[in-house]
Amino acid sequence: MTQPVSPPRDSTGKVPPMGELPAWRTFGARADVRTLSLLGVLVALIVIGGITKPDEFLDTRNLQLVLTQASVIGVVTVGMTFVITSGGIDLSVGAIVALSSVWATTVATQEYGFAGILLTAVLVGVGCGLVNGLLIAYGGMVPFIATLAMLASARGLALQITDGRTQIVSVDGILKLGERDSYVLGVPPLVLVFAVVTVIGWLILNRTTFGRRTVAVGGNAEAARLAGIDVRRQRLYLYLLSGLCCGIAAFLLVILSGSGQNTNGNLYELDAIAAAIIGGTLLSGGRGTITGSVLGVLIFTTITNIFALNNLQSDVQQIAKGAIIVAAVLVQRRTASTT
């Protein structure tokens, strides 16, 4: 005798009304629509670039340049996505990239070769993230204030180390990675690193307990604490992760430019936050998407490239980015009010 099939139930154990999807399926549907929308925007930009400057924009070297430039800010954005998902913010990422890059390219550091530059960049980034995390998680400081203080301090220290001069890299292993001979099947090494960081970030956020704790803390920190999550320790780890991403990005920037400058990473905090927001990461926390953030980075980098090829002024670029950010936040608010 055939047993009756019980109807599907939602997370509360209730049977959803006819025609109404469970909450997780509704969220998944919204995420898919958002991703497809971002892909549509990116494709539209590629078409615009191909129409306005077909020879220059669609050239293989230019497309490689776009991906390479996206790789540096993209790695920073992966870390920023975790921080924003937890309900925090990090205004110091650009300054940390600058400090890491100049500290890693001093004459003393370059004497230790490739490994010395890489290790220094990563350690400086993690160290700055540790300070941010301790001030916010255990010092009780508001993330905006703590990271703003780090922004000023790191920029000042980077200027002091360089004395306003550019530090040229002389390590052959670093310089060779920036040459076309080092490309793997036409793909620059920086893009490969970005791809690896993206995949790891996606797995951590979507397939691990750490990722679920990050979302829980951003959704409701008090409920997460009552559920047994050490909220302060989780926040410390998140800023350590952001600092690690800044250190890796600084190393990639050193490879890309062959130098270290105190002006490196200028406005990276704006680009990283903007890319995460338009990608679908909720500014108030509780929801994040690595895939959307990566698409946001590619959109902004493509816009910058198209503007540069068409000799449009940089102030117009900033206005366009600002308009995109406002539109993305308004869409988020409208989406939140209808759920």
Side-chain angles (χ1 to χ4, degrees):
M1 183 175 179
T2 304
Q3 296 294 327
V5 179
S6 59
R9 299 175 183 271
D10 59 17
S11 58
T12 63
K14 298 179 180 179
V15 179
M18 292 295 294
E20 180 179 332
L21 293 175
W24 66 271
R25 292 185 62 184
T26 304
F27 172 77
R30 291 200 305 269
D32 290 340
V33 171
R34 187 183 301 111
T35 301
L36 291 174
S37 300
L38 292 171
L39 284 173
V41 172
L42 183 58
V43 170
L45 289 173
I46 294 174
V47 171
I48 292 173
I51 293 175
T52 57
K53 291 289 183 178
D55 295 334
E56 294 91 340
F57 181 79
L58 297 178
D59 183 72
T60 302
R61 291 177 180 268
N62 182 65
L63 296 178
Q64 290 173 335
L65 175 62
V66 171
L67 291 175
T68 301
Q69 292 175 338
S71 299
V72 180
I73 185 62
V75 172
V76 175
T77 304
V78 170
M80 182 69 78
T81 301
F82 278 89
V83 172
I84 296 179
T85 301
S86 71
I89 198 73
D90 192 347
L91 301 179
S92 63
V93 290
I96 295 176
V97 169
L99 179 59
S100 299
S101 68
V102 300
W103 206 323
T105 55
T106 60
V107 175
T109 304
Q110 292 193 50
E111 291 180 354
Y112 293 94
F114 184 99
I117 294 177
L118 172 60
L119 185 61
T120 301
V122 170
L123 288 179
V124 172
V126 172
C128 292
L130 176 63
V131 174
N132 280 337
L134 289 175
L135 290 176
I136 295 168
Y138 294 95
M141 291 188 68
V142 177
F144 182 91
I145 300 299
T147 57
L148 184 63
M150 176 58 72
L151 183 156
S153 301
R155 282 289 179 194
L157 185 54
L159 179 60
Q160 186 177 52
I161 291 175
T162 61
D163 196 22
R165 295 190 292 267
T166 300
Q167 298 177 163
I168 305 300
V169 176
S170 58
V171 179
D172 290 337
I174 297 292
L175 298 176
K176 288 181 179 178
L177 285 177
E179 299 175 354
R180 295 184 62 84
D181 293 339
S182 64
Y183 289 10
V184 180
L185 299 176
V187 181
L190 276 67
V191 178
L192 295 177
V193 174
F194 176 37
V196 171
V197 172
T198 298
V199 171
I200 293 175
W202 186 90
L203 290 174
I204 292 176
L205 185 59
N206 297 281
R207 294 291 185 268
T208 67
T209 303
F210 183 88
R212 289 191 290 272
R213 289 175 178 173
T214 300
V215 174
V217 169
N220 190 321
E222 180 61 20
R225 186 187 67 81
L226 294 176
I229 297 175
D230 190 331
V231 175
R232 294 190 299 178
R233 185 172 61 186
Q234 184 70 17
R235 285 175 174 162
L236 173 62
Y237 288 162
L238 288 167
Y239 282 95
L240 283 173
L241 177 60
S242 179
L244 173 62
C245 289
C246 289
I248 296 173
F251 180 71
L252 298 182
L253 192 56
V254 168
I255 295 174
L256 181 62
S257 63
S259 63
Q261 305 176 53
N262 65 285
T263 56
N264 282 342
N266 187 36
L267 294 181
Y268 272 21
E269 54 277 356
L270 170 63
D271 291 340
I273 294 171
I277 291 174
I278 71 169
T281 298
L282 198 61
L283 190 58
S284 58
R287 187 181 74 205
T289 163
I290 298 296
T291 303
S293 295
V294 170
L295 289 174
V297 170
L298 292 175
I299 288 172
F300 276 126
T301 308
T302 304
I303 290 175
T304 301
N305 184 258
I306 293 174
F307 274 55
L309 291 177
N310 286 276
N311 297 320
L312 296 176
Q313 297 180 353
S314 59
D315 55 350
V316 181
Q317 297 181 33
Q318 299 304 325
I319 293 173
K321 289 182 179 180
I324 292 173
I325 295 171
V326 171
V329 173
L330 290 176
V331 170
Q332 283 192 359
R333 288 173 61 88
R334 181 177 179 84
T335 303
S337 64
T338 58
T339 57

